[in-house]
Amino acid sequence: VPHFYVSAEIRMDAAVDEAAALNRDNGDRARVSLSALLVRACALALREHPRFNAVWTSDGLALAEQVNVSVAVALDGGLVAPAVLNADRLDVRGTAEALSELVGRARLGKLRGAEITEGTFTVSNLGMFDVSAFAAIVTPPQVAVLATGKVEKRAVWQDDGFVPASVMTATLSSDHRALDGADAARFLATLQEVLEAPARLAPSTPARSSS
């Protein structure tokens, strides 16, 4: 795959606060983690940028009908990237539950065939290993993967001075046969908008009218 890479720094203060608020009122439900927020944000961005929700075939780019977000999971025997199927149909709590259940079955070796073979885009988060930033490799036949590091405190310029902020570096690796730098920049801009205004993470896909 002929790779190219585009990175962006995303303010995560609002997203971190949103996750904390959801977890305070979570009861016995799965914890809303940063990975769950990322999967939900990517699912929304993929709906707006369908060329990233695609596979590369001998006939060129083929857009996928479903948004199936694969998530890299480190196991003792190596790395797997099972997919949260129909991720765009889940709200953020539903995403957290689906992801928790998926990772649990991955560690038990009980993944389903579709979860292994039908991913349309991948998220790889190494923030829990104290990694600041990295670039991931696209998994064929997918055409893109998002790599994220830890959320860290930095001084950022706002208005007329520096202020402390929680910032995450996101690096998008893309297949240059299917996508270009402008495509990647627009995708990252949407991802940034969603994560910096996390109210957009909350609603699920509206039900279609029966009329």
Side-chain angles (χ1 to χ4, degrees):
V1 175
H3 285 64
F4 71 95
Y5 311 93
V6 179
S7 297
E9 291 191 349
I10 301 175
R11 291 276 298 266
M12 295 294 290
D13 303 86
V16 169
D17 289 345
E18 179 74 9
L22 289 168
N23 288 326
R24 280 195 297 270
D25 190 31
N26 219 21
D28 295 329
R29 301 182 71 177
R31 179 177 172 272
V32 177
S33 63
L34 175 60
S35 292
L37 292 180
L38 289 170
V39 170
R40 172 64 177 155
C42 284
L44 293 175
L46 290 167
R47 287 206 312 230
E48 293 190 28
H49 304 276
R51 289 177 62 84
F52 286 85
N53 190 60
V55 295
W56 186 259
T57 73
S58 57
D59 295 322
L61 189 67
L63 303 185
E65 294 182 0
Q66 295 180 321
V67 177
N68 299 331
V69 180
S70 300
V71 180
V73 180
L75 305 177
D76 291 339
L79 188 73
V80 295
V84 177
L85 303 178
N86 295 304
D88 59 324
R89 299 175 180 267
L90 302 173
D91 63 14
V92 69
R93 287 188 186 275
T95 301
E97 292 177 348
L99 184 58
S100 176
E101 196 260 348
L102 185 70
V103 171
R105 285 192 292 103
R107 290 173 175 159
L108 293 173
K110 295 183 178 181
L111 293 170
R112 304 182 183 105
E115 293 164 343
I116 295 295
T117 62
E118 296 184 12
T120 58
F121 180 89
T122 297
V123 175
S124 183
N125 175 31
L126 289 180
M128 68 289 290
F129 295 108
D130 205 31
V131 170
S132 294
F134 72 107
I137 298 172
V138 175
T139 303
Q142 296 176 25
V143 296
V145 53
L146 183 78
T148 58
K150 64 182 179 180
V151 176
E152 50 191 353
K153 286 291 185 182
R154 299 182 194 169
V156 301
W157 185 264
Q158 180 175 304
D159 299 326
D160 296 322
F162 286 99
V163 297
S166 298
V167 179
M168 179 187 72
T169 300
T171 301
L172 186 64
S173 306
S174 304
D175 184 338
H176 216 330
R177 295 171 299 179
L179 302 158
D180 60 31
D183 295 323
R186 285 190 286 266
F187 181 92
L188 285 174
T190 298
L191 187 72
Q192 185 177 38
E193 290 171 6
V194 172
L195 287 170
E196 292 185 357
R200 291 186 60 185
L201 295 170
S204 59
T205 304
R208 292 184 179 179
S209 172
S210 59
S211 58

